[in-house]
Amino acid sequence: MNTANVQEGAARGPGGLRQGRATPHGTARYASRFAGSVHAGHFRAAPGGLILSSIGIGTYLGEPDDADDRLYRDAVVAAVRSGCNVIDTAVNYRCQRSERSIGQALSELMGAGGEGEFFSREEVVVATKGGFIPFDGGFPARPAEWFRSALLAPGIASPQDVVADCHIMTPRYLDAQIEWSRRNLGLETLDIYYLHNPETQLQEVRRDEFLVRLRAAFELLEQKVAAGAIGVYGVATWDGLRLPPDHPGHLSLRELLGAAEQAGGRSHHFKAIQLPVNLAMGEASLDANQMSGARRVSLLEAASEAGLTVMASGSLLQGQVISALPPSFGDHVQGLRTSAQRGLQVVRSVPGVACALVGMKQLDHVRENLGVAAIPPMAGEEARRLLQACRSPRR
């Protein structure tokens, strides 16, 4: 047992929240724990100096019940003990229960009644999101009554704030959601906070109004960085950053960065983005839908030039990708025994991807997916070639 880590990881601040945040020194120490048991290419230095595992654990799917709470808690513990120091969630996942399951896992990992090796807060990167309306612990029988009591009565939101019956990104709403997430996770500082699918707003508001709302949201996030509630912020999207520029739901990285600079100046804290990258959704690498200077480039190239950390979500598309792979695909991805491992190997090897996120709540999936860490990433151009070969025709 590392007593220093127990004491460091167990430090609590006001409200019982665990103090600290992921640091370059702490994440480098985490990587050093696995020297000799994983390939050196499994850990990557992200902009800002954090060392990230190339595979991260996601917590989206599942039921809001005790059984899945236990599964996720145990999966997060196993993942961190197996070389995965990136944990991704959102306040609305499983009605806030995914965040709470992670909080329980972190307590076990960081010395509050757990067994085995302990880790410090500074070694683990925790990312969450806000924007969608979450319920609390389960689906209420009367959602409208829950909305009135949980959001309207305390002044967190008004009916006029709601877009598409599910999305809010006003400053007062995000402020409350950050506090809910800190409480659920038991963390004083959230390492990465994403504005969740902001393109949802474009279903109902004009782009000029959207940019006004975006800047207001970023101003709030800059304030939360200054207060120590979050480390850095960004956007997590599903469609927006993959769509062509002429699509109404397209998100321009240049506009996002412009809004961040208006909110926080040239030293703003917009530092991370998340979007799908998998064998069926390779747009982030293959499509030149963003501008960098006077050049039209891919999202991943534009993000790299802007110094952003990119997390790939949906790396296996909830299993849909790997179920469609032909047996011959294994000939192109050597050294791995399962389609899931091969799919992750491609995604984590795509140039510009810092971490491939994959949902895991079964211990055998943790073992299978983290098995990729033992081999070197493939050549970047080969990974891009496989994305191109597997991509689905645009509908």
Side-chain angles (χ1 to χ4, degrees):
M1 179 186 301
N2 187 324
T3 305
N5 280 357
V6 174
Q7 293 172 343
E8 186 179 5
R12 299 280 182 168
L17 299 180
R18 190 180 304 278
Q19 294 178 310
R21 54 176 287 192
T23 65
H25 177 73
T27 53
R29 183 170 66 237
Y30 178 87
S32 71
R33 292 173 180 263
F34 298 91
S37 62
V38 304
H39 189 272
H42 172 57
F43 290 105
R44 290 94 182 268
L50 295 182
I51 307 298
L52 309 179
S53 56
S54 66
I55 306 295
I57 183 168
T59 58
Y60 171 51
L61 293 180
E63 297 300 321
D65 58 25
D66 292 345
D68 277 0
D69 287 350
R70 289 189 293 271
L71 289 173
Y72 270 123
R73 180 198 64 206
D74 293 346
V76 169
V77 169
V80 173
R81 289 177 174 164
S82 301
C84 167
N85 75 331
V86 179
I87 304 170
D88 184 78
T89 191
V91 71
N92 62 301
Y93 288 176
R94 297 193 313 114
C95 303
Q96 302 187 57
R97 295 178 76 136
S98 284
E99 287 189 332
R100 292 167 186 167
S101 296
I102 292 168
Q104 293 168 5
L106 293 175
S107 289
E108 181 172 340
L109 287 161
M110 296 177 183
E115 296 179 357
E117 187 175 19
F118 293 102
F119 298 82
S120 74
R121 171 68 185 93
E122 290 73 16
E123 294 179 79
V124 181
V125 179
V126 181
T128 192
K129 316 175 188 75
F132 286 108
I133 297 174
F135 295 123
D136 189 354
F139 299 108
R142 297 177 177 83
E145 290 185 9
W146 180 89
F147 181 81
R148 283 194 294 270
S149 63
L151 299 179
L152 294 187
I156 294 172
S158 68
Q160 294 75 29
D161 298 334
V162 182
V163 171
D165 295 325
C166 64
H167 198 268
I168 306 172
M169 65 179 208
T170 62
R172 61 180 174 175
Y173 179 76
L174 293 173
D175 189 31
Q177 296 303 280
I178 288 169
E179 296 312 306
W180 287 13
S181 291
R182 293 172 73 214
R183 179 195 65 205
N184 288 339
L185 290 159
L187 299 179
E188 186 175 71
T189 303
L190 309 171
D191 296 308
I192 305 173
Y193 193 81
Y194 296 111
L195 188 57
H196 200 177
N197 287 14
E199 66 267 36
T200 306
Q201 298 273 321
L202 288 168
Q203 296 179 25
E204 295 187 9
V205 305
R206 291 165 48 99
R207 186 166 291 270
D208 55 353
E209 171 61 19
F210 169 74
L211 292 175
V212 170
R213 296 183 181 192
L214 188 72
R215 184 173 68 248
F218 286 178
E219 287 172 350
L220 180 278
L221 295 175
E222 289 287 347
Q223 293 168 17
K224 301 304 280 188
V225 170
I230 63 177
V232 299
Y233 65 92
V235 297
T237 78
W238 189 254
D239 292 321
L241 289 170
R242 298 186 300 113
L243 293 169
D246 59 352
H247 192 285
H250 169 76
L251 290 181
S252 160
L253 188 58
R254 174 177 284 178
E255 288 183 337
L256 294 174
L257 289 166
E261 187 165 338
Q262 290 174 345
R266 295 181 64 85
S267 59
H268 63 78
H269 295 85
F270 182 100
K271 299 298 182 184
I273 57 175
Q274 184 185 125
L275 78 165
V277 182
N278 56 61
L279 289 170
M281 301 163 75
E283 298 92 344
S285 178
L286 303 175
D287 292 355
N289 71 341
Q290 301 290 332
M291 296 298 297
S292 180
R295 299 179 303 123
R296 189 168 292 283
V297 299
S298 72
L299 181 281
L300 286 173
E301 185 174 351
S304 177
E305 292 179 0
L308 302 180
T309 298
V310 181
M311 305 286 191
S313 62
S315 298
L316 298 178
L317 199 57
Q318 300 165 15
Q320 298 175 52
V321 171
I322 59 175
S323 64
L325 289 178
S328 60
F329 188 78
D331 297 337
H332 303 285
V333 185
Q334 299 294 321
L336 296 166
R337 59 183 179 81
T338 70
S339 292
Q341 290 177 330
R342 293 168 189 139
L344 287 173
Q345 171 72 326
V346 174
V347 174
R348 74 168 186 149
S349 303
V350 172
V353 169
C355 179
L357 300 170
V358 57
M360 295 183 267
K361 64 175 181 177
Q362 302 290 341
L363 294 180
D364 57 345
H365 289 164
V366 174
R367 288 188 288 269
E368 178 183 1
N369 294 334
L370 268 296
V372 177
I375 72 167
M378 65 196 309
E381 283 308 307
E382 178 65 7
R384 291 187 78 254
R385 188 190 70 77
L386 290 172
L387 283 186
Q388 183 67 61
C390 294
R391 76 177 302 175
S392 302
R394 188 180 298 280
R395 297 177 201 163

